[in-house]
């Protein structure tokens, strides 16, 4: 039989395969709340504009309440022949309130309907992720505050470079998450325009009020071009790009936890509830949660790609290709949401092994730069020359198999006679970090000042 909603011009029904490939209810049912909200706003506007009778409007509003209650109670009956969530809701509404339901679709198309629903969904997803990201920032700030003076090696090329403070290191991630939040906020600002009323692609001849539906749905304004309204999905792409970047940041933190938890480092011990054992090696405690967060960044990056490839080269306006926009977008949200929750849990509960960090920070001649800087400051040596002198001191320490500050004054003076006893004050890791007082530097006082800024921003 022909489709009851659009089958007027069809002699027969769809093939089973057509029905299967066409159906999106399996995933777009996630839009049901947004779809009901959109229909409510649309019906109320039609009544206000005199397009729909008050009676029909009331029947529709009441019927939509009931449909919502049913779906909320898990009573959505999925029927692939009804294609998508929009037709499921409308069909159920008709069963409940009769002919009034047939008037709801006046001055509307599924094209502007789905664009509206989807924007509302992405907007909600952004708001939920923002809460999660703020929670991760809060966890990082609290741990950073307690570790403002904890020294660990800072690396470049994963080679010991200069000592840094753990608080500083953790706040680096807090800063990244802050940018991730602002990217999502930008995305939200741009997407917050209402496509409803663009109809199929050209707008409508009915005297609708797009400003009132936009307002009712919390949008800043209606979209400006009906063709663009039904065919633009860059809000979803932008959302996924922002999610991918956030996932990438989480993967780096996850990787650090994984490396730090390994036995040669022992900088951290990850809590039992974020680790798993091995079925053969009894001693094992593996950082699986961190590894999965690291891997999920791959899904997030691919999600952007999946939709970008669907959208590339599509002519205006709507094409069914766009139905494929939802799965990657929904998945991006759930993946990032879960990754953020896992990372927050790990940050809150990880044990920092301060001794191992300190010991490692003292290795690798990490304060060599401090010696060179001292030569510049105390002895007026040009930096390039000081660099060279320090290199010779490092070579000597290497020959002796000792740290830089274990060389005697005599040893150092043999390298360069301008070195005096005062140099030993700058060679410890604590002196090194304490001296990095430039704005945004690793000195504990700087770190505390920047933490105070972030605390204010976060309202902590
Ligand atoms: N399920 C469709 C989607 O998600 C709704 C729009 C259908 N529009 C159409 N012209 N067939 O894109």
């Amino acid at each position: 039989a022909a489709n009851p909603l659009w089958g007027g011009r069809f002699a027969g029904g769809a093939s089973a395969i057509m029905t299967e490939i066409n159906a999106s209810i399996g995933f777009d049912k996630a839009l049901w709340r947004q779809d009901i909200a959109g229909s409510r706003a649309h019906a109320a506007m039609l009544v206000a504009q005199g397009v729909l009778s008050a009676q029909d409007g009331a029947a529709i509003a009441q019927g939509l309440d009931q449909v919502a209650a049913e779906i909320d109670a898990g009573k959505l009956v999925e029927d692939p022949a009804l294609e998508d969530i929009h037709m499921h809701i409308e069909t159920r509404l008709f069963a409940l309130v009769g002919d009034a339901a047939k008037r709801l679709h006046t001055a509307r198309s599924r094209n502007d309907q789905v664009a509206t629903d989807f924007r509302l969904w992405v907007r909600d997803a952004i708001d939920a992720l923002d809460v999660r990201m703020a929670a991760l920032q809060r966890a990082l700030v609290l741990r950073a505050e307690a570790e403002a003076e904890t020294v660990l090696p800072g690396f470049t090329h994963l080679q010991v470079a200069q000592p840094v403070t753990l608080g500083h290191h953790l706040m680096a991630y807090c800063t990244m998450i802050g940018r991730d939040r602002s990217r999502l906020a930008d995305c939200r600002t741009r997407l917050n325009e209402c496509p409803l009323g663009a109809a199929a692609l050209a707008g409508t001849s009915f005297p609708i009020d797009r400003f009132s539906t936009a307002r009712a749905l919390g949008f800043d304004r209606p979209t400006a071009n009906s063709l663009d309204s039904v065919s633009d999905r860059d809000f979803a792409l932008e959302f996924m790009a922002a999610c991918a970047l956030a996932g990438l940041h989480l993967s780096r933190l996850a990787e650090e936890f994984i490396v730090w938890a390994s036995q040669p480092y022992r900088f951290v011990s990850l809590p039992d509830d974020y680790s798993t054992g091995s079925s053969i090696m009894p001693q094992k405690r593996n950082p699986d949660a961190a590894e999965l967060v690291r891997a999920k960044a791959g899904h997030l990056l691919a999600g952007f790609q999946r939709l970008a490839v669907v959208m590339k080269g599509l002519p205006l306006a709507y094409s069914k290709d766009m139905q494929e926009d939802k799965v990657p977008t929904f998945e991006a949200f759930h993946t990032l949401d879960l990754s953020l929750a896992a990372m927050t849990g790990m940050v809150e509960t990880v044990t920092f092994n301060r001794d191992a960090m300190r010991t490692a920070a003292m290795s690798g001649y990490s304060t060599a730069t401090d010696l060179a800087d001292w030569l510049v400051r105390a002895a007026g040596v040009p930096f390039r020359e000081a660099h060279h002198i320090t290199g010779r001191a490092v070579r000597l320490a290497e020959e002796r198999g000792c740290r830089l500050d274990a060389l005697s004054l005599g040893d150092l003076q043999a390298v360069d006679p301008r070195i005096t006893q005062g140099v030993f004050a700058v060679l410890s890791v604590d002196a090194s970090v304490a001296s990095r007082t430039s704005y945004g530097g690793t000195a504990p006082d700087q770190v505390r000042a920047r933490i105070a800024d972030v605390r204010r921003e976060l309202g902590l």
Side-chain angles (χ1 to χ4, degrees):
N3 187 293
L5 284 116
W6 47 249
R9 58 105 63 235
F10 286 80
S15 73
I17 290 171
M18 179 62 216
T19 301
E20 187 179 345
I21 197 171
N22 200 28
S24 56
I25 185 62
F27 51 86
D28 68 17
K29 60 188 170 192
L31 296 174
W32 73 267
R33 284 178 202 281
Q34 290 78 9
D35 197 70
I36 299 255
S39 289
R40 257 193 207 118
H42 183 65
M45 179 277 292
L46 291 180
V47 171
Q49 296 299 107
V51 177
L52 208 65
S53 72
Q55 237 169 329
D56 283 344
I60 288 169
Q62 184 222 316
L64 286 171
D65 283 346
Q66 191 171 337
V67 177
E70 289 175 6
I71 300 179
D72 209 12
K75 289 190 206 134
L76 174 74
V77 182
E78 290 181 40
D79 176 3
L82 289 176
E83 299 183 20
D84 53 27
I85 188 63
H86 323 293
M87 306 231 295
H88 276 74
I89 288 176
E90 195 184 314
T91 302
R92 184 63 193 146
L93 186 67
F94 176 69
L96 292 171
V97 308
D99 279 350
K102 291 188 175 176
R103 299 185 195 278
L104 171 60
H105 213 51
T106 312
R108 185 176 78 169
S109 154
R110 271 187 296 159
N111 296 348
D112 60 336
Q113 190 178 354
V114 72
T116 304
D117 294 0
F118 198 27
R119 280 184 192 234
L120 287 171
W121 191 94
V122 173
R123 196 175 74 185
D124 289 345
I126 289 172
D127 292 344
L129 289 174
D130 190 64
V131 171
R132 282 267 198 234
M133 288 181 174
L136 176 54
Q137 284 190 300
R138 178 174 182 278
L140 286 164
V141 162
L142 296 181
R143 297 307 303 265
E145 222 157 36
E147 308 296 340
E149 305 199 0
T150 305
V151 178
L152 83 164
F155 297 93
T156 62
H157 314 267
L158 201 54
Q159 305 286 310
V160 170
Q162 294 174 351
V164 294
T165 50
L166 179 55
H168 196 49
H169 196 119
L170 294 172
M171 287 308 289
Y173 285 99
C174 188
T175 310
M176 294 176 224
I177 304 300
R179 285 197 298 277
D180 294 329
R181 289 180 70 192
S182 87
R183 259 186 287 276
L184 283 175
D186 287 349
C187 172
R188 192 190 197 285
T189 302
R190 263 185 294 279
L191 78 70
N192 206 31
E193 296 184 345
C194 187
L196 198 59
L201 74 166
T204 177
S205 57
F206 290 96
I208 60 171
D209 180 356
R210 295 192 59 209
F211 288 85
S212 87
T213 41
R215 216 176 307 116
L217 293 168
F219 287 108
D220 295 327
R221 63 190 76 83
T223 49
N225 181 294
S226 64
L227 288 167
D228 177 50
S229 307
V230 294
S231 54
D232 143 53
R233 292 294 181 273
D234 54 12
F235 64 90
L237 284 165
E238 192 174 351
F239 170 71
M240 279 194 280
C243 287
L245 280 173
L248 186 153
H249 287 151
L250 296 186
S251 80
R252 298 182 73 177
L253 179 55
E255 165 69 1
E256 299 215 282
F257 279 179
I258 293 161
V259 171
W260 289 358
S262 91
Q263 285 68 19
Y265 277 78
R266 289 189 189 284
F267 285 5
V268 299
S269 163
L270 289 169
D272 280 358
D273 45 346
Y274 289 96
S275 307
T276 61
S278 157
S279 53
I280 177 169
M281 295 169 283
Q283 86 284 11
K284 282 286 240 173
R285 198 153 67 113
N286 296 324
D288 292 37
E291 291 172 290
L292 289 162
V293 169
R294 185 174 61 183
K296 283 182 190 299
H299 290 281
L300 290 165
L301 288 159
F304 174 85
Q305 186 87 346
R306 274 169 83 185
L307 181 54
V309 171
V310 167
M311 295 306 295
K312 181 196 168 297
L314 284 188
L316 299 185
Y318 178 85
S319 298
K320 201 58 171 270
D321 308 51
M322 291 179 192
Q323 181 163 282
E324 300 288 304
D325 56 3
K326 288 165 206 76
V327 171
T329 309
F330 293 167
E331 281 180 8
F333 167 70
H334 293 299
T335 301
L336 183 56
D337 191 48
L338 183 58
S339 297
L340 284 165
M343 248 12 261
T344 304
M346 280 183 269
V347 168
E348 280 169 346
T349 53
V350 65
T351 306
F352 295 121
N353 184 350
R354 293 175 185 162
D355 293 338
M357 289 185 182
R358 166 172 287 270
T359 304
M362 295 190 305
S363 72
Y365 315 102
S366 64
T367 56
T369 313
D370 297 270
L371 171 54
D373 287 350
W374 182 89
L375 282 163
V376 172
R377 232 182 350 253
V381 180
F383 182 76
R384 281 291 159 221
E385 201 183 317
H387 185 288
H388 198 78
I389 294 164
T390 306
R392 293 210 310 274
V394 167
R395 178 142 41 98
L396 181 63
E398 215 163 36
E399 275 163 26
R400 298 272 164 86
C402 72
R403 303 200 322 247
L404 264 187
D405 61 354
L407 291 172
S408 69
L409 183 58
D411 288 337
L412 288 168
Q413 286 177 336
V415 173
D416 192 287
R418 288 169 289 187
I419 297 177
T420 66
Q421 182 67 36
V423 79
F424 290 102
V426 304
L427 291 182
S428 76
V429 292
D430 296 296
S432 175
V433 296
S435 73
R436 298 298 195 280
T437 53
S438 51
Y439 182 90
T442 198
D445 286 347
Q446 266 303 313
V447 173
R448 288 196 189 94
R450 300 290 73 76
I451 287 175
D453 295 342
V454 176
R455 265 184 171 280
R456 260 192 304 280
E457 280 165 33
L458 295 176
L460 289 179

